[in-house]
């Protein structure tokens, strides 16, 4: 059942936030979406193999260092940089 | 003219690369305001590349794509050109590398006319979630172009390019192609490298093509397919020449018609047009075999659970720190990230991230995500069983024609509209959509031909056969 606690839990996991009005709307929308998702509960999975069991990782390449990109390019889209460092608010 | 014919015109110097490029740039200038297919138009670089292309043509060194103008969906990275995913989150993001598919086009000196509009982060079926506004349908400007590759499909339909690269996660190429009256080819998963495609759901995403004809889609697929050591999921089973079966005799071809795709949840005019095409194939000597995908009723739910789960992980990189929208508000690290994401993402993206986190959370993982994985495995098996008896499968591409832009659709109904396309992504198969008739409001109706893994050559050839016996109506509404 979609309630305020569940929405708060999911917004924390998703790292997004809603105003009170928006929270009311999103609760109703998620309730309807989950009702559609509940369809999967009726599926009888006693003899089914998960689809991801068939993926085989056979062609992994060697982990080699190359110089395709430089630091300046790599941080060229960061909004707040200083001397090739990305600046963020204090973490600790 | 198809791509091959344009190639001949260029190589015989009857037209120049610059003339051809200018022709399309002029059309974009004239019509894009009405249609909104392009987010970014690369007029300067396109004309400069056209000069380089012409030099190669003059020297007799042209490749298949030299001087050919393409549009590229705005979730495919283009070095030095803004790549926004139609989102405020990436509105000023400029990649410092090209996607592999773009590298392949550029190696041949193809012309990139611009970046096409789409649903935000490819999440949607109408481009109504785009930060840059909806793409209008060239057949009727009061209707949507479909999505998420709506801009790609509309750019081909309104002759604002010769071919378009799009992407597909749950039908985002065939559906807008169907709505806009063009061909849309979604290759078998692993045919085309995803390196440089901004990820939505990595186990479903695939770059594909919108084109004027099946044969054009074959030529373009030839150029962009193949193993890439930057994408471990690419396969060495890609064909050498996807046009190789064009002209083949289709007598005796076994066509599977899954009954679940022809119920009354598909609009009557769509069913009638697709059945009309099937009858044509039967009268041409094909064998029509009724078959079944019993687990189809779970496909939508399974698709949205898995794609949203993968999206919640893929979109966790958007924190405003290294790239993307960064909020001005946020006294601490966590608040900065939350505010950046809240401001940067649209509502549909937020809903899917929430749904994905719900499905993956410890309390609900088994009953939703794991269950969805098993449904996907079962749907794959059901398609494999059909292909033991059939060569191809035909279904409608979408349950209806393109809707009006002022028609309000609730979220669940819009998800259910993907019922014809998501099973193909779940099964990882290749599919091509082609116009097979005209329905409500004289809008194009598309049918999808689904192939065995890596057998796009067959569906391309069958599609080409159909096109040669079908009179297509061109879009004209946007020219008025």
């Amino acid at each position: 059942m979609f309630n305020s606690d569940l929405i708060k839990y999911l917004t924390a996991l998703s790292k997004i936030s809603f105003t009170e009005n928006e929270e009311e709307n999103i609760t109703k929308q998620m309730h309807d979406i989950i009702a559609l998702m509940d369809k999967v509960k009726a599926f009888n999975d006693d003899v089914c193999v998960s689809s991801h069991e068939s993926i085989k990782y056979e062609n992994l390449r060697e982990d080699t260092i190359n110089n395709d990109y430089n630091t300046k390019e790599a941080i060229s889209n960061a909004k707040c940089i200083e001397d090739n460092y990305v600046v963020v608010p204090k973490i600790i | 003219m198809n791509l091959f014919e344009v190639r001949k015109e260029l190589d015989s110097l009857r037209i120049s690369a610059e003339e051809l490029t200018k022709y399309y740039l002029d059309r974009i200038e004239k019509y894009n305001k009405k249609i909104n297919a392009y987010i970014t138009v690369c007029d300067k670089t396109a004309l400069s590349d056209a000069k380089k292309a012409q030099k190669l043509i003059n020297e007799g060194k042209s490749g298949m794509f030299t001087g050919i103008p393409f549009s590229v969906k705005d979730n495919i990275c283009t070095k030095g050109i803004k790549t926004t995913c139609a989102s405020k989150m990436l509105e000023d993001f400029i990649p410092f590398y090209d996607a592999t598919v773009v590298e392949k086009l550029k190696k041949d000196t193809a012309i990139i006319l611009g970046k096409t509009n789409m649903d935000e982060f490819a999440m949607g079926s109408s481009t109504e979630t785009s930060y840059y506004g909806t793409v209008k349908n060239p057949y009727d400007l009061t209707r949507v172009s479909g999505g998420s590759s709506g801009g790609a499909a509309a750019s081909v339909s309104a002759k604002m390019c010769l071919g378009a690269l799009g992407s597909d996660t749950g039908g985002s190429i065939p559906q807008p192609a169907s709505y806009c009256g063009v061909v849309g080819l979604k290759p078998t998963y692993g045919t085309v490298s995803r390196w440089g495609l901004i990820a939505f759901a990595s186990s479903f995403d695939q770059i594909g093509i919108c084109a004027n004809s099946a044969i054009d889609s074959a030529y373009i697929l030839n150029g962009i397919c193949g193993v890439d050591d930057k994408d471990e999921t690419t396969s060495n089973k890609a064909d050498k020449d996807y046009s190789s079966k064009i002209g083949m005799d289709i007598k005796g071809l076994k066509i599977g018609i899954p009954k679940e795709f022809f119920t009354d949840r598909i609009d009557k005019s769509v069913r009638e047009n697709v059945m009309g095409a099937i009858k044509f194939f039967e009268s041409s000597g094909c064998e029509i075999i009724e078959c079944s995908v019993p687990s189809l009723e779970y496909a939508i739910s399974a698709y949205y659970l898995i794609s949203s789960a993968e999206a919640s992980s893929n979109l966790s990189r958007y924190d405003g720190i290294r790239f993307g929208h960064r909020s001005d508000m946020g006294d601490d690290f966590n608040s900065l990230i939350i505010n950046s994401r809240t401001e940067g993402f649209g509502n549909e993206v937020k809903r899917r991230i929430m749904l994905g986190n719900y499905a993956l959370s410890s309390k609900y993982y088994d009953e939703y995500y794991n269950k969805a994985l098993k449904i996907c495995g079962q749907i794959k098996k059901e398609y494999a069983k059909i292909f033991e008896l059939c060569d191809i499968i035909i279904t409608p591409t979408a349950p209806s024609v393109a809707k009006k832009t002022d028609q309000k659709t609730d979220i669940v109904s819009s998800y259910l509209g993907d019922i014809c396309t998501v099973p193909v992504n779940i099964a990882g198969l290749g599919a091509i959509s082609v116009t097979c008739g005209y329905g409500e409001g004289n809008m194009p109706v598309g049918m999808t031909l689904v192939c065995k893994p890596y057998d796009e050559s067959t569906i391309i050839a069958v599609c080409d056969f159909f096109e040669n016996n079908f009179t297509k109506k061109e879009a004209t509404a946007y020219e008025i």
Side-chain angles (χ1 to χ4, degrees), chain A residues 55-89:
Chain A
I55 295 177
K56 291 180 176 37
Y57 292 96
E58 289 169 333
N59 299 319
L60 297 175
R61 59 183 162 84
E62 288 302 312
D63 191 16
T64 54
I65 297 169
N66 59 42
N67 294 309
D68 280 358
Y69 316 116
N70 58 45
T71 307
K72 193 175 172 191
E73 278 176 321
I75 59 169
S76 58
N77 284 288
K79 297 292 184 300
C80 195
I81 54 175
E82 200 176 292
D83 294 336
N84 274 356
Y85 291 94
V86 178
V87 181
V88 297

Side-chain angles (χ1 to χ4, degrees), chain B residues 190-387:
Chain B
T191 302
V192 180
S193 172
R194 290 177 296 110
W195 175 258
L197 170 65
I198 293 177
F200 163 15
S202 310
S203 70
F204 294 145
D205 291 344
Q206 188 67 183
I207 289 175
I209 295 148
C210 290
N212 285 306
S213 61
I215 195 166
D216 277 6
S217 71
Y219 293 142
I220 299 170
L221 186 57
N222 283 349
I224 62 170
C225 70
V227 172
D228 182 10
D229 63 8
K230 295 193 188 104
D231 176 1
E232 194 273 333
T233 62
T234 49
S235 170
N236 58 10
K237 294 177 187 164
D239 212 331
K240 288 197 173 38
D241 180 6
Y242 286 99
S243 66
S244 60
K245 290 188 183 175
I246 283 175
M248 77 178 198
D249 185 359
I250 67 162
K251 280 194 186 60
L253 188 82
K254 294 182 172 60
I255 300 178
I257 311 294
K259 59 185 180 186
E260 291 86 3
F261 287 86
F262 293 87
T263 62
D264 57 15
R265 65 177 149 189
I266 308 296
D267 281 2
K268 187 163 175 265
S269 73
V270 171
R271 268 183 288 143
E272 282 172 355
N273 277 296
V274 177
M275 285 311 302
I278 291 167
K279 284 191 171 64
F280 163 74
F281 283 122
E282 193 173 31
S283 68
S284 303
C286 298
E287 186 184 344
I288 308 302
I289 300 173
E290 196 185 81
C291 52
S292 177
V293 182
S295 301
L296 185 70
E297 63 178 301
Y298 306 106
I300 289 282
S301 309
Y303 166 79
Y304 273 95
L305 285 165
I306 292 175
S307 65
S308 300
E310 294 187 11
S312 68
S313 174
N314 280 324
L315 271 65
S316 64
R317 69 194 67 183
Y318 300 108
D319 53 20
I321 309 295
R322 293 152 300 146
F323 47 79
H325 173 76
R326 176 169 169 144
S327 176
D328 291 331
M329 298 195 304
D331 295 334
D332 58 70
F333 189 62
N334 200 42
S335 302
L336 174 67
I337 293 174
I338 291 170
N339 293 337
S340 298
R341 288 166 67 81
T342 302
E343 291 165 14
F345 289 140
N347 290 333
E348 183 59 30
V349 171
K350 287 175 184 169
R351 278 191 287 268
R352 299 221 193 172
I353 291 172
M354 300 265 285
L355 174 59
N357 279 316
Y358 179 82
L360 290 172
S361 62
S362 54
K363 190 173 172 188
Y364 302 107
Y365 184 97
D366 271 331
E367 98 190 78
Y368 289 104
Y369 182 73
N370 252 345
K371 205 68 175 294
L373 288 181
K374 290 176 181 178
I375 291 168
C376 288
Q378 181 59 23
I379 287 175
K380 272 187 185 167
K381 271 192 204 166
E382 287 170 9
Y383 272 92
K385 195 165 173 214
I386 295 174
F387 280 125

